Amino acid sequence: MKFPQSGRAPAELLSQLQATKGQDVPWQEGKVFAYVYDAGPEAMQLLGDAFTLYMTENGLDPTSFPSCMVLEKEVIAMAMDLVNADPNGTGTFTGGGTESILLSLKTARDHARDQKPHIKQPEIVLPVTAHAAFFKACQYFDLTPVTVEVDDNFRAIPEKMDAAITDNTILMVGSAPSYAHGAIDPIEAMGQVALKHDILFHVDCCVGGMYLPFAKQLGYDIPNFDMGVPGVTQLSMDFHKWGYAAKGASCVLYNDANLRRYQIFSHSNWTGYTVINPGVTSTKSGGPVAACWAILNHLGLEGYHRLVDASQKATQKLLNALEGIPGLRAMGDPKTNLIALEATDFNIFPLADEMKERGWYIQPQFSYANSAENLHLSIGYHNVEQMDAFIADLTELTAKVRQQQQSVEATPLPEAILAMLEDATPATLGQLAGVLGIDPANPPERMEEINILLNNISADSREVLLGEFVNQLYMPA
Ligand SMILES: Cc1ncc(COP(=O)(O)O)c(C=O)c1O
């Protein structure tokens, strides 16, 4: 595509953008159980208005845009209050959970360089259920991840975490809850392990920070998980998930404000202005923080209680219904609105495709460690009205897929293709895609065959294949 020679009218461009959106999952109907958080039309309008009001303001410079800083400080104070942080602690507003986690681990690394200089190759101890963002941080900051198995309910095992800690360990990770199964790690017992070894302890509350506090206040069975737990030093929580904020809104919090010093990048050794960035980015729109500030104040405790209670009840409805759906069950012991559905006696991937044909989006997850392949649901306020219809389709289509698989002989796995996939390199992927008839620019509607293949190769090979797939997918138009 060539750079446009002459400009086009706003109305024409906006209508083109509107039409382009038509390719996306139709989240507005509440049939998408991932990616989108919608607290209703009034909240959406407010987010849009607040975001637009601050779109051009630049949070890079608090002396020129002190209002962005004030909004950020208020948002951080509200978050600290919610998760019982030390009132003398501090935090930073970031663009997402991944940025919060990157910053936390960069802080831990630089803290160790300063305070424990004998550590030459720092290690991070984390359960296999910890979010991929921690591995990204390890990759970026040259840290060694040490993964530890989890129990049958996908919760970290404090004794095993303890045993994995060495003289090189600088930080341990727990999730509240984990994304994949919604499992809340035993944060109190893990805090004791962290204290015993004098290491930092990060609780990943990216998906739970704006949910668990409200669920606990409402009386749901939620164990202690937050910054009030002895041993917890830092925590990430996202506003752009169950905070129903506009995307680009998360934070990393520290119980000890001194720790945050290690997070800040400060550079004067160049010809330009001194750059001092608490976060990864430098220039940052005031839009996300303004929209976040607005939604927190608009909903307040009462509003979030309403949203969380509705989500908990809809989740319970699904869990009850599962008892009447032969072959399907929830994995682990979910306490919140994140559910992983496992098939006990059939292959689950075709069910995702069947549900998609009826307009439902649920997220396939591959098998890994002690977790079987499954379909993941995040059940939010926007899904509540659809729960009865969802259950009806899930019941019908599970029976259909199960019956189909029982009535036809199972196709044997294509061992030759699996072996090729296992050995694939980015360079040979093009040929493989040809053999499989896959065009990265035009992925097939039904993903079951691809998912089954990917589920049957190693996670390392999946990384190579999907990494290259995305590399090809994003080739310029
Ligand atoms: C537990 C957990 N941690 C971290 C993240 C990463 O957050 P983000 O996608 O905002 O970078 C997620 C995202 O779902 C999550 O569920």
Side-chain angles (χ1 to χ4, degrees), residues 96-98 101 131 177-179 204 206-207 238 240-241:
T98 299
I101 289 167
H131 194 273
S178 63
Y179 180 79
D204 182 7
C206 280
V207 73
D238 294 356
H240 65 194
K241 294 191 171 81

Side-chain angles (χ1 to χ4, degrees), residues 457-468:
I457 57 173
S458 67
D460 286 349
S461 297
R462 283 201 291 262
E463 284 172 4
V464 173
L465 284 169
L466 294 174
E468 184 54 21

Side-chain angles (χ1 to χ4, degrees), residues 13-14 175 470:
L13 292 167
L14 287 173
S175 309
V470 168

Side-chain angles (χ1 to χ4, degrees), residues 58-81:
N58 195 341
L60 163 65
D61 180 4
T63 61
S64 305
F65 295 97
S67 74
C68 290
M69 180 179 62
V70 169
L71 294 176
E72 170 162 346
K73 285 167 72 158
E74 291 195 14
V75 164
I76 294 297
M78 287 188 265
M80 286 173 57
D81 179 42

Side-chain angles (χ1 to χ4, degrees), residues 37 94-101 129-134 136 174-180 202 204-208 236 238 240-242 248-250 338 363 376 378:
Y37 309 86
T94 71
T98 299
E99 186 185 348
S100 299
I101 289 167
T129 48
H131 194 273
F134 290 96
K136 187 176 194 175
S175 309
S178 63
Y179 180 79
H202 179 120
D204 182 7
C205 265
C206 280
V207 73
S236 48
D238 294 356
H240 65 194
K241 294 191 171 81
W242 304 119
S250 169
L338 305 184
Q363 199 173 39
H376 180 274
S378 300

Side-chain angles (χ1 to χ4, degrees), residues 34-303:
Y35 307 128
V36 167
Y37 309 86
D38 173 3
E42 194 181 33
M44 277 291 185
Q45 181 71 45
L46 173 65
L47 290 178
D49 291 347
F51 198 104
T52 313
L53 201 62
Y54 264 84
M55 181 177 69
T56 313
E57 275 57 27
N58 195 341
L60 163 65
D61 180 4
T63 61
S64 305
F65 295 97
S67 74
C68 290
M69 180 179 62
V70 169
L71 294 176
E72 170 162 346
K73 285 167 72 158
E74 291 195 14
V75 164
I76 294 297
M78 287 188 265
M80 286 173 57
D81 179 42
L82 211 51
V83 295
N84 297 308
D86 187 317
N88 295 317
T90 190
T92 300
F93 185 83
T94 71
T98 299
E99 186 185 348
S100 299
I101 289 167
L102 288 174
L103 290 172
S104 171
L105 266 60
K106 183 257 190 233
T107 299
R109 187 199 62 178
D110 291 358
H111 171 257
R113 280 182 180 168
D114 186 33
Q115 301 288 317
K116 300 180 178 178
H118 57 280
I119 298 182
K120 300 297 174 219
Q121 186 50 59
E123 294 170 6
I124 306 294
V125 171
L126 68 180
V128 287
T129 48
H131 194 273
F134 290 96
F135 296 85
K136 187 176 194 175
C138 287
Q139 213 178 75
Y140 281 16
F141 303 129
D142 198 18
L143 302 163
T144 304
V146 176
T147 50
V148 180
E149 62 185 282
V150 293
D151 69 16
D152 293 342
N153 285 326
F154 309 101
R155 284 192 286 250
I157 305 165
E159 298 74 28
K160 299 229 173 197
M161 302 293 287
D162 189 350
I165 292 168
T166 71
D167 290 345
N168 289 327
T169 307
I170 61 168
L171 178 140
M172 180 174 66
V173 176
S175 309
S178 63
Y179 180 79
H181 309 94
I184 304 173
D185 285 334
I187 301 301
E188 284 188 315
M190 292 170 79
Q192 291 305 311
V193 174
L195 287 172
K196 176 176 136 192
H197 293 279
D198 184 28
I199 55 171
L200 300 175
F201 181 21
H202 179 120
V203 177
D204 182 7
C205 265
C206 280
V207 73
M210 291 296 295
Y211 195 96
L212 295 184
F214 309 120
K216 203 169 167 59
Q217 287 157 10
L218 286 167
Y220 288 101
D221 173 25
I222 307 291
N224 292 336
F225 66 93
D226 65 15
M227 297 187 80
V229 173
V232 175
T233 52
Q234 51 231 77
L235 178 147
S236 48
M237 62 189 274
D238 294 356
F239 306 106
H240 65 194
K241 294 191 171 81
W242 304 119
Y244 294 88
K247 286 186 177 51
S250 169
C251 68
V252 54
L253 306 177
Y254 300 95
N255 266 333
D256 177 358
N258 290 323
L259 201 50
R260 207 255 304 261
R261 290 219 183 91
Y262 298 102
Q263 185 189 294
I264 293 174
F265 173 79
S266 175
H267 192 78
S268 216
N269 278 288
W270 73 309
T271 50
Y273 60 96
T274 298
V275 172
I276 309 154
N277 299 144
V280 172
T281 55
S282 202
T283 288
K284 60 176 183 185
S285 162
V289 74
C292 181
W293 178 91
I295 196 81
L296 298 183
N297 282 299
H298 174 61
L299 291 171
L301 276 182
E302 288 165 11

